[in-house]
Amino acid sequence: MRTIFDYRKRNGTGGILPELDVPAKKTTDLIPQDLIRQDKPRIPNLSEPEVVRHYTALSKLNYGVDDGLYPLGSCTMKYNPKVNEDVAHLPGFASIHPAVDPELAQGSLSVVHKMSRLLCGITGMADVTLQPAAGAHGEITGMFLLKRYFEARGETQRTRILLPDSAHGTNPASAATAGFSVTEIRSGADGLVDLNALSGELDETVAGVMLTVPNTLGIFEENIMKITAMVHATGGLCYFDGANLNAFLGHARPGDMGADVFHFNLHKTMSAPHGGGGPGSGPVAVSEALVPFLPVPRVRLDRGRYYLDWEKGQSIGSMHSFYGNFGVFLKAYTYILTLGDEGLYEAGENAVLNANYLQERLKKTYRLPYDRLCKHEFVLTGKGIADGISTLDIAKRLIDYGFHPPTIYFPLIVHEALMIEPTETESRETLDRFAEALEKIASEAQENPDLLHNAPHTAPVRRLDQTRAARNPILTYPFGD
Amino acid sequence: MGYPAEYRYTKEHEWVDLDGTRAKVGITDHAQSELGDVVFVELPAVGTTVNQGDTLGTVESVKAVSDVFAPIGGKVVEVNSELESSPETINTDPHGAGWLVMIEVSDLSQVDSLLDSAAYERIIAEE
Amino acid sequence: MRYIPNTDADREQMLSAIGRFSMEELFSDIPQLVKDRFQPLGISSKSELEVRTKLASLTQKNAAASALSFLGGGIYDHYIPSVVQHITSRSEFYTAYTPYQPELSQGTLTAMFEFQTLICELTGMEVANSSMYDGATALAEAAMMAARVTGNRKIAVSLALFAHYRRVLDTYCWASGIEIVDIPTVDYRCDFSHVPSDVGGVIVQSPNAFGVIEDLADVKEAIGNALMIVAVNPVSLSILTPPGEFGADIVTSEGQPFGLPPSFGGPLLGLFATRKAYLRQMPGRLVGQTVDADGKVGYTMAAQTREQHIRRQKATSNICTNAQLCALTATVYLASLGGDGLRDLAMLNLEKAHYMAQQLSDLPGCSLLCDAPFFNEFVLRVPVDPKRIRDGLRVEEILVDDPAQMEALGVTEALRFAVTEKRSKEELDRTVDLVGRML
């Protein structure tokens, strides 16, 4: 697949922008010679039909949720409603500059304010910031909030964050960015947080615990109330990673479980599209005690008018240029309004049903390390399918069956992990076809392992050489060579 | 590939080849096989002092990064700079040309706490 | 619920397949206490027509939508070619996930390779990541990277930064234990003779918050071992000497001008480029070229071992998503304009801004803040209360930045204007005329 740099060199066609309509001045009269660029950046000039064909062809090399099942665990690849897209593209929303006089942006400000109220309702927590631009961004926001909270209380000896060994990589990375050190708590044989291990670590040097609920095995922490109580008893706070909110959406609220900080992934649970890797939106909800530390500006309502409150007080400052990814949380807002309480409830229960249905069928062929009721996702292992066959081989072979592979090699506590999350927007028929494909692959692994080792065979490219990419990185188009 | 009887080993999969007071250190064949194709190695500066158990450096493959721990304490007197251009040597010859650092040992008695080849092979068999 | 394909009959069959009697049983693992505490939002579901109508009515309350904009400060009103949204609305692009399975993501990955290349060409740097959340967090990440690379946790920062860049920088530096030292301005430019000697990084913005183009020629030499970090305007890069040529170590920018609507401040596009020598210390996703099993050229995520999913607490950054679709938008935008078109665009901005600046400064009592060179943003000194002018323009549906922005930088009785290619001569003349009447 060629790049735009592979097209023949030519001059631009112009035609997108009009000619200059004010009297032109010599560039050197406006800018000193030594500040004027001498070289020409090697940006190609393609005609419009070429641009369109090029990117249309590229798009066809991709696989999106609109193409088929995307069972990535903890990613919640649910259907992206099109009405959300249309709303976000309305010129009345898209054209608004963030620094405009608030009087002229009452519509957008009301979205920020109302969305914040809805997210508080969904979490059962006191207040929310919409600034974080992604889940990981929400995590560091949460860690910064904890840091400020303890600073304000003079408890600067609290330098540690505890997290389970099943935690997503962003969790310890976020904690470290805020200057915390990280201690892993081992999971018990049941895959849940080992309470003894936890109590053994809890002391006054612990700022808090970072939990994913349900955890990355798709199992709900049944001792969640005990866990949060234990942490609170030693003066620590509880951070909940909300990546798996789809598991209990409409049925339970993290605020009721003892969460002090909770981040959303609106591009997961609330149907905003993943965009090929972003932009996301990761709002953070907090309990009453953390409200004073939320980022500025805050959007407030006073006698029917929305305004920006820049009063810094004890706030951590700002995490984003402006108010967060408005164009993304606008889509999530539209989704929540569409679903209402019944829709949120149905989303949660169908997500859990779909996952358990798949788990029940697939455990007959693949090893299920934790055989019990799961929530919206579950983890299998590729170990034991056949000698010399890895989870990677199985994943690549799934591509030949027309499915995007599930998450592989995560969580780390299961060797050769396959983490599967179907979401509620898949039909039973699709789930059956997916299970059938995995069953066929298991047989192929025994009878014809090379089919797996050399997979994929039918994708736009065959298996790519990662080692070569890593050893000799070519990160820009090789012009000179 | 066998595990040379004259070397000593750690549970963290490092090996030590002691010659008088100087110890050559590397990672074992088991470690390189678990890591996969090595793409990058991070080594300490010559002259660095390390205690037993400190992180010496890291070995990176495409999918993982492994810390290398100092099996014994001392001063780093030499590093294998070949690995900068050919990190794959760790895969092809982990016990020989794929060595990482040479340490001038400060406390030779620490060698006694290391495993012999038989004990190390037992450990990896159980993994 | 129309987004859920399964029917009651499907659910019944599935429940019996898993040996459960009711949907409620599926939540038996949640403590009863928690379930009892649950409270719904109190909102009913809505049809698509109702939702659409409701949201559209909110846009009626955005009076700014129909106004003429001279707003700037990092976010600008540029023309977005039609091609851009048609391409980025293709669902293969926007409903795809992060390209962890590269064989199914060559569309995204090829476009990202193009993006990285384009950013390097424009900034004059060796390597660029495939984007970050916005220009402000990209700058904050640059500060943290400079501290990592040099081992020195003190960063000197020009006072002539956009307020939002400084706000976010302050927060990130406080949290990660980096001390900020201010570099004062002289004649509305960064005073490089007053850069503290013992710092890990020096941050300067060009054009700066006053719209002034900074002279970066001697900076690198003057700052010793510190990393030179420059935050730029992306459109200006096609006609101004890029920071790479001045020896910059890291270049960041807010990429919104490359095809993204202002969208009330998000989603945005953080640009980040640096030297190849610092590759392993660089945050963010990187896409590299490789070959597949048949020797065909393909693209994949490279140097992932820096990232959170492998390094965890030792990662160079915790960043997971980038601003992928926004980076794709910028790529298609740049491909549509082409190198020549981008240059024309920058010239239109330059010329129109200078024309308007001339006309405005010819008004009685008005003058430009200084005679330093500028690109498409400038500050006008006015002889009356600038709020009055701003309010008066607003009545005519013309928008300029809040004078409080300039006041915060110590400049009173002034208004900042940003002029883009969208402003016709007629609009410029009309605005100048209106300002003249208010003096």
Side-chain angles (χ1 to χ4, degrees):
Chain A
M1 189 59 225
R2 57 181 172 161
T3 67
I4 51 176
F5 306 102
D6 294 309
Y7 287 70
R8 75 207 179 305
K9 287 200 186 9
R10 53 165 299 166
N11 292 331
T13 58
I16 292 179
L17 301 171
E19 297 293 319
L20 184 63
D21 56 356
V22 300
K25 287 224 172 115
K26 256 178 75 183
T27 312
T28 44
D29 286 346
L30 305 178
I31 300 180
Q33 181 68 42
D34 58 316
L35 292 181
I36 298 177
R37 186 164 193 143
Q38 297 307 317
D39 71 324
K40 232 179 140 180
R42 291 167 294 191
I43 299 178
N45 295 300
L46 273 64
S47 66
E48 186 164 320
E50 287 171 307
V51 171
V52 173
R53 281 220 179 125
H54 179 75
Y55 289 102
T56 301
L58 282 188
S59 76
K60 292 183 185 181
L61 300 178
N62 262 16
Y63 179 105
V65 172
D66 280 7
D67 290 295
L69 175 67
Y70 228 112
L72 287 169
S74 280
C75 296
T76 311
M77 300 295 290
K78 64 171 76 178
Y79 170 68
N80 308 134
K82 305 317 171 194
V83 63
N84 301 353
E85 299 300 307
D86 284 350
V87 167
H89 289 134
L90 287 172
F93 282 127
S95 69
I96 308 300
H97 191 287
V100 77
D101 185 335
E103 267 313 298
L104 306 178
Q106 290 291 301
S108 296
L109 287 168
S110 82
V111 170
V112 177
H113 197 265
K114 290 186 165 140
M115 181 57 166
S116 304
R117 295 288 103 227
L118 286 177
L119 295 184
C120 287
I122 289 173
T123 52
M125 294 169 80
D127 206 345
V128 138
T129 173
L130 301 184
Q131 279 192 16
H137 203 202
E139 286 177 36
I140 43 169
T141 303
M143 289 297 103
F144 290 3
L145 288 169
L146 254 62
K147 189 183 171 89
R148 180 72 103 203
Y149 171 84
F150 288 114
E151 247 178 37
R153 294 165 70 88
E155 292 178 47
T156 48
Q157 83 285 359
R158 294 191 183 266
T159 56
R160 296 201 299 144
I161 292 286
L162 307 180
L163 41 76
D165 48 13
S166 55
H168 188 267
T170 51
N171 290 175
S174 302
T177 307
F180 292 112
S181 65
V182 160
T183 304
E184 265 189 10
I185 306 290
R186 63 162 190 280
S187 303
D190 54 1
L192 301 176
V193 167
D194 182 324
L195 293 180
N196 287 325
L198 176 64
S199 90
E201 288 292 345
L202 276 173
D203 62 22
E204 269 149 31
T205 64
V206 171
V209 70
M210 278 179 105
L211 291 172
T212 307
V213 181
N215 67 18
T216 56
L217 295 166
I219 304 174
F220 195 89
E221 291 283 352
E222 282 156 355
N223 289 319
I224 191 64
M225 304 297 280
K226 275 209 195 83
I227 294 171
T228 55
M230 279 165 74
V231 176
H232 288 148
T234 57
L237 295 178
C238 300
Y239 180 100
F240 281 24
D241 178 326
N244 289 338
L245 177 60
N246 215 41
F248 54 86
L249 191 62
H251 294 256
R253 306 183 307 177
D256 298 329
M257 299 174 203
D260 297 292
V261 192
F262 177 89
H263 90 258
F264 285 86
N265 295 69
L266 297 183
H267 47 292
K268 296 185 181 187
T269 322
M270 300 304 180
S271 85
H274 278 75
S281 176
V284 170
V286 297
S287 59
E288 197 64 57
L290 289 165
V291 171
F293 310 104
L294 285 175
V296 290
R298 317 284 305 279
V299 174
R300 302 210 190 274
L301 179 63
D302 178 41
R303 281 163 294 180
R305 305 312 286 168
Y306 296 98
Y307 67 98
L308 295 172
D309 179 359
W310 289 97
E311 181 56 50
K312 201 175 171 210
Q314 296 182 293
S315 164
I316 57 175
S318 297
M319 295 300 294
H320 185 262
S321 296
F322 302 101
Y323 323 112
N325 281 350
F326 180 84
V328 178
F329 59 73
L330 177 58
K331 295 181 190 181
Y333 179 61
T334 308
Y335 177 73
I336 295 171
L337 290 183
T338 302
L339 262 56
D341 286 317
E342 328 146 33
L344 292 170
Y345 185 90
E346 281 172 358
E349 65 174 10
N350 279 276
V352 174
L353 176 62
N354 278 1
N356 279 282
Y357 176 74
L358 256 188
Q359 177 183 253
E360 190 62 30
R361 173 158 175 182
L362 286 171
K363 77 183 195 190
K364 300 186 174 90
T365 315
Y366 288 78
R367 281 192 211 156
L368 176 68
Y370 302 93
D371 189 351
R372 44 153 298 157
L373 177 70
C374 65
K375 296 254 67 67
H376 66 315
E377 68 188 6
F378 59 98
V379 178
L380 300 172
T381 174
K383 239 179 170 167
I385 284 299
D387 280 338
I389 293 290
S390 66
T391 286
L392 184 69
D393 294 324
I394 296 168
K396 298 301 184 190
R397 185 61 180 148
L398 258 175
I399 294 175
D400 293 328
Y401 280 85
F403 294 105
H404 190 283
T407 303
I408 52 176
Y409 298 107
F410 183 79
L412 301 174
I413 57 173
V414 173
H415 284 170
E416 300 287 315
L418 269 163
M419 184 171 30
I420 296 172
E421 178 186 354
T423 84
E424 72 280 11
T425 60
E426 299 300 332
S427 67
R428 180 171 62 83
E429 186 184 46
T430 303
L431 301 182
D432 286 340
R433 280 193 303 112
F434 177 68
E436 211 179 295
L438 275 173
E439 287 155 4
K440 282 215 180 83
I441 292 171
S443 312
E444 286 174 352
Q446 300 274 356
E447 292 147 25
N448 194 353
D450 276 343
L451 272 178
L452 279 72
H453 288 309
N454 298 327
H457 303 270
T458 59
V461 292
R462 304 283 307 282
R463 204 181 292 202
L464 288 162
D465 188 343
Q466 305 285 354
T467 305
R468 179 173 164 147
R471 275 197 188 142
N472 298 303
I474 302 171
L475 305 168
T476 53
Y477 183 80
F479 285 106
D481 318 354
Chain B
M1 185 175 300
Y3 292 92
E6 63 273 22
Y7 288 9
R8 290 286 170 269
Y9 301 85
T10 67
K11 276 193 280 100
E12 288 80 31
H13 312 291
E14 290 96 15
W15 55 260
V16 177
D17 180 14
L18 191 63
D19 183 11
T21 56
R22 288 160 66 104
K24 212 181 236 181
V25 178
I27 63 169
T28 65
D29 181 45
H30 174 84
Q32 71 77 18
S33 138
E34 291 275 289
L35 269 175
D37 294 334
V38 176
V39 302
F40 186 75
V41 183
E42 203 187 323
L43 297 171
V46 170
T48 314
T49 307
V50 289
N51 297 316
Q52 188 179 37
D54 281 354
T55 307
L56 262 183
T58 58
V59 178
E60 263 185 51
S61 69
V62 174
K63 57 173 186 164
V65 189
S66 254
D67 284 324
V68 180
F69 300 102
I72 35 167
K75 193 151 97 161
V76 176
V77 294
E78 232 187 291
V79 299
N80 186 353
S81 44
E82 290 276 305
L83 296 177
E84 214 179 309
S85 48
S86 312
E88 62 272 14
T89 315
I90 294 183
N91 297 114
T92 52
D93 191 5
H95 299 158
W99 65 275
L100 297 171
V101 300
M102 181 86 81
I103 295 181
E104 180 69 40
V105 181
S106 51
D107 179 3
L108 282 166
S109 69
Q110 285 179 346
V111 179
D112 302 332
S113 62
L114 302 175
L115 306 162
D116 64 19
S117 60
Y120 179 69
E121 288 190 68
R122 270 199 302 275
I123 286 183
I124 55 179
E126 272 156 37
E127 256 190 28
Chain C
M1 211 284 125
R2 73 182 188 279
Y3 303 146
I4 296 177
N6 283 339
T7 62
D8 287 336
D10 288 319
R11 278 184 281 276
E12 228 180 270
Q13 194 259 311
M14 290 164 79
L15 278 171
S16 98
I18 63 175
R20 302 273 172 188
F21 295 108
S22 69
M23 298 291 269
E24 282 73 42
E25 262 193 73
L26 297 172
F27 294 89
S28 56
D29 50 358
I30 298 185
Q32 191 57 44
L33 181 57
V34 174
K35 286 192 282 202
D36 289 342
R37 285 180 181 171
F38 180 80
Q39 283 178 49
L41 296 172
I43 58 173
S44 58
S45 62
K46 287 189 178 42
S47 68
E48 185 173 302
L49 176 58
E50 288 167 296
V51 167
R52 197 98 181 235
T53 308
K54 187 181 167 85
L55 265 328
S57 74
L58 281 181
T59 65
Q60 299 303 315
K61 301 192 182 150
N62 278 348
S66 52
L68 203 67
S69 174
F70 290 99
L71 296 167
I75 305 293
Y76 304 91
D77 180 23
H78 287 289
Y79 178 70
I80 301 173
S82 297
V83 169
V84 175
Q85 254 171 32
H86 278 268
I87 296 295
T88 57
S89 298
R90 292 185 71 86
S91 65
E92 297 93 335
F93 279 132
Y94 80 85
T95 70
Y97 184 64
T98 307
Y100 289 122
Q101 296 292 348
E103 297 84 4
L104 288 176
S105 321
Q106 288 300 294
T108 297
L109 290 164
T110 308
M112 282 310 92
F113 187 73
E114 293 175 346
F115 174 82
Q116 286 169 189
T117 306
L118 291 165
I119 301 306
C120 285
E121 285 297 302
L122 286 170
T123 57
M125 304 298 287
E126 291 170 323
V127 62
N129 68 22
S130 59
S131 77
M132 311 197 81
Y133 306 135
D134 62 3
T137 54
L139 189 56
E141 292 270 5
M144 297 196 298
M145 177 173 150
R148 268 199 305 277
V149 168
T150 61
N152 185 331
R153 303 192 76 74
K154 229 158 86 169
I155 306 283
V157 178
S158 162
L159 279 174
L161 244 57
F162 289 137
H164 59 278
Y165 279 1
R166 184 56 192 257
R167 264 201 312 276
V168 172
L169 195 60
D170 282 342
T171 300
Y172 272 70
C173 287
W174 152 74
S176 54
I178 292 175
E179 187 192 332
I180 295 181
V181 178
D182 292 333
I183 313 173
T185 54
V186 60
D187 294 334
Y188 309 104
R189 291 164 102 145
C190 187
D191 186 359
F192 291 111
S193 68
H194 275 89
V195 177
S197 51
D198 179 32
V199 293
V202 173
I203 292 179
V204 60
Q205 179 186 317
S206 180
N208 64 26
F210 303 108
V212 168
I213 301 170
E214 297 276 7
D215 189 348
L216 302 174
D218 305 315
V219 176
K220 182 64 186 164
E221 218 184 292
I223 64 177
N225 291 328
L227 260 53
M228 178 179 166
I229 302 168
V230 188
V232 297
N233 172 310
V235 175
S236 73
L237 290 174
S238 61
I239 59 177
L240 296 181
T241 309
E245 294 215 11
F246 288 124
D249 295 294
I250 306 176
V251 177
T252 66
S253 182
E254 174 50 62
Q256 175 270 330
F258 285 163
L260 294 171
S263 197
F264 206 49
L268 298 176
L269 177 62
L271 306 180
F272 189 107
T274 185
R275 298 177 183 277
K276 213 158 185 187
Y278 299 138
L279 180 60
R280 292 210 131 61
Q281 293 303 322
M282 213 178 148
R285 200 158 284 150
L286 285 170
V287 173
Q289 186 178 303
T290 184
V291 293
D292 76 354
D294 289 337
K296 196 163 135 193
V297 168
Y299 302 94
T300 186
M301 301 210 297
Q304 289 185 65
T305 47
R306 298 159 304 119
E307 296 188 68
Q308 51 76 26
H309 55 286
I310 292 174
R311 274 289 194 172
R312 299 171 71 87
Q313 61 262 41
K314 294 192 191 159
T316 53
S317 163
N318 81 327
I319 198 170
C320 191
T321 55
N322 55 342
Q324 183 58 37
L325 199 69
C326 302
L328 175 71
T329 302
T331 308
V332 177
Y333 174 84
L334 291 171
S336 304
L337 278 182
D340 289 349
L342 188 62
R343 204 191 145 72
D344 292 342
L345 168 73
M347 291 306 296
L348 283 170
N349 276 256
L350 183 76
E351 295 277 4
K352 289 186 187 241
H354 282 77
Y355 170 79
M356 192 186 196
Q358 181 70 63
Q359 306 284 22
L360 283 171
S361 60
D362 282 346
L363 292 173
C366 293
S367 62
L368 291 182
L369 185 67
C370 60
D371 58 12
F374 61 93
F375 174 56
N376 69 351
E377 205 161 18
F378 60 88
V379 179
L380 182 76
R381 284 199 191 282
V382 293
V384 298
D385 181 3
K387 288 193 200 39
R388 223 167 36 78
I389 300 182
R390 183 180 188 232
D391 290 343
L393 287 174
R394 205 177 80 194
V395 169
E396 300 292 329
E397 295 201 287
I398 298 174
L399 307 174
V400 295
D401 283 325
D402 189 341
Q405 303 239 11
M406 283 296 106
E407 276 162 34
L409 289 171
V411 176
T412 54
E413 291 174 337
L415 281 169
R416 183 174 64 194
F417 289 81
V419 181
T420 72
E421 73 286 358
K422 277 179 78 172
R423 301 288 78 86
S424 69
K425 179 173 186 293
E426 185 275 324
E427 288 169 347
L428 298 178
D429 290 340
R430 177 155 55 92
T431 306
V432 172
D433 188 54
L434 284 165
V435 173
R437 302 233 205 108
M438 287 184 252
L439 296 175

